[in-house]
Amino acid sequence: MFSELHDFLESDMNANSLKESITCHLRSLLDKFNQYFLTENVEPFDWVRQPFTNCSSNNLPSELEDALIELSSDRTLQALFASKTLDEFWLSVVQEYPGLSKAAMDILTPFGSTYLCEKTFSSLAYIKNKYRCRLNSMEENLRVAVSSIDPRIDLLCSRKQAHPSH
């Protein structure tokens, strides 16, 4: 990478155009960051973090607000809330309060649907770089890179003979 940097710095590109390019890139990163993370008031979502306190400005439809009032009066669920993480709690009440649980999980996981796509693309960019551009079959490599299953290398190696006899 340093040889490429050295070649780039010796090229005819002037400092002003480089500054403009970097500034433009940083602005686009800021725009993308603001798309993913809320910059607005998060107070209407306090009911997700604290379902057992009275929140008057939760902006919920009436049926979900009724369900939230019913949930907040249940002492058993209050004890369960104290012993679990936030996402575990909302997943545990999905049978009793499906609409409320879904609304809470939508707020807690805003970009869960794009995670695997972005992870796969990043893995592809890492695997198929300019030094390994002749790889034809990417399916197997991507499947291993994105999989959550840990390979059992010891088991795979034990099935192979190290030095075959002639």
Side-chain angles (χ1 to χ4, degrees):
M1 295 303 292
F2 290 117
S3 62
E4 291 180 22
L5 176 64
H6 187 278
D7 294 343
F8 176 75
L9 291 176
E10 288 183 352
S11 67
D12 292 337
M13 183 175 252
N14 62 15
N16 287 334
S17 65
L18 182 62
K19 286 179 185 178
E20 290 173 14
S21 176
I22 291 172
T23 304
C24 179
H25 180 70
L26 290 175
R27 283 194 182 119
S28 69
L29 284 175
L30 181 63
D31 291 341
K32 291 293 182 184
F33 187 80
N34 288 333
Q35 282 179 354
Y36 276 115
F37 299 101
L38 295 174
T39 56
E40 59 190 43
N41 185 14
V42 293
E43 190 175 307
F45 306 116
D46 281 346
W47 66 270
V48 177
R49 291 183 295 137
Q50 301 165 347
F52 297 98
T53 59
N54 292 333
C55 299
S56 60
S57 61
N58 52 25
N59 297 334
L60 287 172
S62 61
E63 64 273 358
L64 292 182
E65 196 166 331
D66 292 342
L68 180 62
I69 291 170
E70 186 179 328
L71 179 136
S72 65
S73 63
D74 190 341
R75 297 230 181 233
T76 307
L77 291 179
Q78 192 169 5
L80 183 68
F81 180 75
S83 66
K84 291 191 174 201
T85 62
L86 201 55
D87 55 337
E88 288 174 344
F89 170 76
W90 285 112
L91 287 173
S92 68
V93 298
V94 72
Q95 294 295 326
E96 298 171 53
Y97 305 100
L100 200 58
S101 176
K102 183 185 178 326
M105 290 310 291
D106 287 346
I107 292 169
L108 290 173
T109 56
F111 39 80
S113 62
T114 63
Y115 169 74
L116 282 178
C117 181
E118 291 177 9
K119 182 178 177 184
T120 304
F121 182 76
S122 295
S123 299
L124 176 68
Y126 178 76
I127 292 170
K128 195 166 184 165
N129 58 28
K130 74 177 190 176
Y131 300 110
R132 295 176 65 187
C133 62
R134 294 191 180 146
L135 294 174
N136 295 328
S137 176
M138 294 302 298
E139 285 183 38
E140 294 85 7
N141 293 329
L142 283 176
R143 187 174 295 129
V144 170
V146 178
S147 175
S148 61
I149 301 171
D150 293 328
R152 296 182 293 179
I153 302 294
D154 295 335
L155 178 65
L156 294 172
C157 291
S158 69
R159 293 182 181 170
K160 296 292 179 182
Q161 185 177 355
H163 297 286
S165 60
H166 295 281

